[in-house]
């Protein structure tokens, strides 16, 4: 009873602070908030191919990867994913969340050091909690702070964990400089490419390939739940990395593998991206540039970003929620990012631009956004 009361009190506290979370069924609003940057979740060419080829497939994988859950379609998908991202191997996990847990819980050992950007995703924090290594944050995208910490811990094995595009800001990491620092200081670089997969690079190979540093990265994470339009994720890198994870990564070993329909969907989507990715990336970029142009007058309140994630800062949970609700009433789906997800005072509307957003939609949306912002702040 005491515990139930404690749970209720914590929920009440969230209600008081306007930080209470609840699940909402998607309404039919114009999408400016999903992670479907390339609109692949709705791509009928891919869907028809998957539908045709999936007839007769078993519905479940029937086991974990090391038992009956490994089959030819997963093998084929992993080879396609590895080739696309210009890596020797790929290993599919059930989600990006479990892949980050899988890397961090198995590779860094006691007496090793993990240095991570202060803005990394919750899944990286949770992975570090499962690791026996000591972890320290460095200031966001701050090369001198990273270098200082590399020097402090130079006698140890060091892992540096960053994102290529930061999920809550949309800004990109200085990848070339960080890769150089890691090389100079014998540190292993791990890059979570969740928000650059499908978006950066000529065909969507990710920011590491775009910058030409893929061979300098120890492990890259590509998630399929965002621009790829599906779910699950792959860790790409060397054969040793893959073999090690298969042997020691508990989030891979002790769970039922993705089903054949998902493996087929990953395979077909990547084949499609190989052919059409360059056009899609260009179309997305045109829309991002158009959005940014429309928002120039509010540039003092926006975070610098060239990616599909664009943010408008509106400090205070109550205010950001109110503005968000008004804009939703006008027919546009956006979400407020409140504290504690971001630091108090850094609350924001996180706007995602997609290939399926027409220039007209972006024009209408930005004029309502600007008008509401000016009236209510
Ligand atoms: C940077 C980053 N890494 C990992 C994840 C987790 O990926 P998934 O949704 O596939 O579990 C996310 C998802 O929000 C993310 O933004």
């Amino acid at each position: 009873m005491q515990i139930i009361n404690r749970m209720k009190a914590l929920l009440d506290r969230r209600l008081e602070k306007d930080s209470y979370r609840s699940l909402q069924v998607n309404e039919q609003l114009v999408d400016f908030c999903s992670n479907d940057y390339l609109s692949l979740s709705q791509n009928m060419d891919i869907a028809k191919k998957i539908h045709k080829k999936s007839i007769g497939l078993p519905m479940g994988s029937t086991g974990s990867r090391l038992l009956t859950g490994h089959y030819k379609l997963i093998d084929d998908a992993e080879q396609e994913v590895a080739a696309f991202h210009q890596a020797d191997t790929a290993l599919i996990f059930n989600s990006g969340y479990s892949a980050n847990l899988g890397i961090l819980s198995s590779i860094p050992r006691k007496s090793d050091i993990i240095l991570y950007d202060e803005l990394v995703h919750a899944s990286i924090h949770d992975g570090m909690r499962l690791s026996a290594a000591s972890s320290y944050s460095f200031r966001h995208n701050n090369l001198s702070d990273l270098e200082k910490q590399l020097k402090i811990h130079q006698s140890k094995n060091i892992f540096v964990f960053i994102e290529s595009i930061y999920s809550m800001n949309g800004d990109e990491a200085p990848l070339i400089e960080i890769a150089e620092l890691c090389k100079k200081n014998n540190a292993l670089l791990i890059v979570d490419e969740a928000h650059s997969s499908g978006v950066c690079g000529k065909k969507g190979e990710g920011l590491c390939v775009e910058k030409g540093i893929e061979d300098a990265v120890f492990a890259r994470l590509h998630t399929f739940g965002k621009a790829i339009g599906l779910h699950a994720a792959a860790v790409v890198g060397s054969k040793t990395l893959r073999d090690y994870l298969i042997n020691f990564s508990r989030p891979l070993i002790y769970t039922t593998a993705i089903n054949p329909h998902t493996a087929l969907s990953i395979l077909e989507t990547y084949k499609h991206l190989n052919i059409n990715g360059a056009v899609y990336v260009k179309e997305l970029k045109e829309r991002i540039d158009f959005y940014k142009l429309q928002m120039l007058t509010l540039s003092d309140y926006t975070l610098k970003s060239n990616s599909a994630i664009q943010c408008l800062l509106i400090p205070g949970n109550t205010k950001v929620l109110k503005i968000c609700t008004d804009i939703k009433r006008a027919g546009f789906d956006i979400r407020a990012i409140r504290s504690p997800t971001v630091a108090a005072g850094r609350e924001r509307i996180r706007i995602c631009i997609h290939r399926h957003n027409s220039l007209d939609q972006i024009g209408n949306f930005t004029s309502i956004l600007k008008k509401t912002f000016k009236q209510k702040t």
Side-chain angles (χ1 to χ4, degrees):
M1 202 55 196
Q2 224 178 9
I3 290 180
I4 301 290
N5 286 339
R6 185 178 70 193
M7 287 161 71
K8 282 184 178 161
L10 288 170
L11 287 170
D12 286 345
R13 190 131 51 134
R14 286 224 153 162
L15 276 172
E16 283 156 23
K17 289 185 166 178
D18 272 329
S19 60
Y20 185 84
R21 291 157 163 157
S22 59
L23 301 174
Q24 301 167 28
V25 174
N26 272 342
E27 299 160 70
Q28 293 304 306
L29 303 176
V30 183
D31 175 17
F32 279 101
C33 73
S34 81
N35 293 323
D36 191 17
Y37 309 126
L38 286 187
S39 319
L40 293 183
S41 80
Q42 324 160 31
N43 187 304
M44 281 306 126
D45 292 337
I46 308 176
K48 276 184 205 154
K49 265 206 182 126
I50 295 168
H51 182 67
K52 219 163 123 192
K53 292 189 179 179
S54 66
I55 294 167
L57 283 179
M59 285 185 287
S61 68
T62 76
S64 63
R65 290 294 293 275
L66 287 170
L67 298 175
T68 53
H70 186 63
Y71 45 91
K72 186 166 181 318
L73 262 176
I74 294 201
D75 233 6
D76 292 348
E78 286 180 338
Q79 282 176 31
E80 189 75 27
V81 169
F84 184 85
H85 293 293
Q86 301 180 21
D88 289 344
T89 70
L91 183 65
I92 293 178
F93 282 72
N94 288 7
S95 69
Y97 183 90
S98 59
N100 275 337
L101 261 50
I103 295 170
L104 284 160
S105 61
S106 66
I107 301 176
R109 308 295 292 265
K110 200 168 185 238
S111 87
D112 292 348
I113 299 289
I114 305 164
L115 301 179
Y116 62 96
D117 187 287
E118 64 184 341
L119 292 193
V120 292
H121 189 255
S123 54
I124 298 168
H125 284 277
D126 293 358
M128 290 187 295
R129 281 193 207 165
L130 291 177
S131 169
S134 305
S135 45
Y136 304 92
S137 69
F138 57 92
R139 290 207 299 282
H140 178 52
N141 279 347
N142 189 312
L143 294 170
S144 47
D145 196 26
L146 171 60
E147 187 164 26
K148 196 171 95 191
Q149 305 227 30
L150 285 164
K151 293 270 176 291
I152 293 173
H153 302 288
Q154 61 186 344
S155 60
K156 305 263 179 80
N157 295 319
I158 306 178
F159 297 86
V160 173
F161 211 128
I162 59 170
E163 293 175 26
S164 45
I165 302 278
Y166 283 87
S167 58
M168 286 299 147
N169 281 21
D171 59 344
E172 65 181 56
L175 278 184
I176 296 178
E177 293 81 354
I178 291 182
E180 271 167 15
L181 275 182
C182 288
K183 191 171 172 215
K184 207 168 100 188
N185 293 279
N186 277 327
L188 292 180
L189 178 58
I190 306 176
V191 184
D192 180 332
E193 298 235 55
H195 296 278
S196 62
S197 312
V199 174
C200 301
K202 233 190 208 138
K203 300 184 288 190
E205 302 93 324
L207 195 63
C208 291
V209 170
E210 181 177 310
K211 300 289 180 193
I213 59 138
E214 66 278 12
D215 293 336
V217 180
F218 168 67
R220 286 176 274 154
L221 171 71
H222 290 284
T223 61
F224 307 145
K226 303 184 194 309
I228 307 302
L230 302 165
H231 69 98
V235 177
V236 310
S238 68
K239 181 176 178 312
T240 308
L241 172 68
R242 186 173 187 272
D243 291 346
Y244 185 90
L245 291 171
I246 291 170
N247 278 276
F248 296 104
S249 180
R250 295 169 71 88
L252 177 97
I253 299 167
Y254 296 107
T255 192
T256 301
I258 55 167
N259 67 19
H261 192 278
T262 299
L264 175 69
S265 305
I266 295 165
L267 177 62
E268 289 303 323
T269 302
Y270 267 85
K271 280 185 182 168
H272 185 90
L273 212 49
N274 228 336
I275 298 166
N276 301 287
V279 175
Y280 293 174
V281 167
K282 189 167 155 281
E283 287 173 350
L284 176 62
K285 174 108 186 48
E286 283 164 8
R287 284 156 178 75
I288 295 168
D289 289 346
F290 183 69
Y291 169 88
K292 287 177 65 176
L293 195 65
Q294 305 308 303
M295 292 298 285
L296 267 184
T297 49
L298 286 188
S299 59
D300 286 348
Y301 307 94
T302 57
L303 297 181
K304 264 212 178 90
S305 156
N306 293 321
S307 75
I309 302 164
Q310 300 286 328
C311 293
L312 181 61
L313 290 174
I314 302 172
N317 280 350
T318 310
K319 195 181 278 179
V320 75
L321 212 52
K322 173 85 184 73
I323 291 182
C324 225
T325 309
D326 288 354
I327 292 167
K328 275 181 139 178
R329 276 204 199 102
F332 300 101
D333 200 357
I334 50 168
R335 301 293 154 94
I337 309 293
R338 292 171 281 170
S339 59
T341 303
V342 288
R346 302 290 289 170
E347 293 83 359
R348 64 201 62 176
I349 297 179
R350 180 174 177 270
I351 296 131
C352 295
I353 310 294
H354 314 95
R355 246 185 79 236
H356 54 267
N357 293 135
S358 67
L359 297 188
D360 268 358
Q361 282 176 347
I362 296 174
N364 292 338
F365 169 63
T366 47
S367 63
I368 291 197
L369 187 59
K370 285 185 286 189
K371 201 169 116 198
T372 316
F373 181 84
K374 280 179 188 149
Q375 279 171 356
K376 302 278 161 77
T377 57

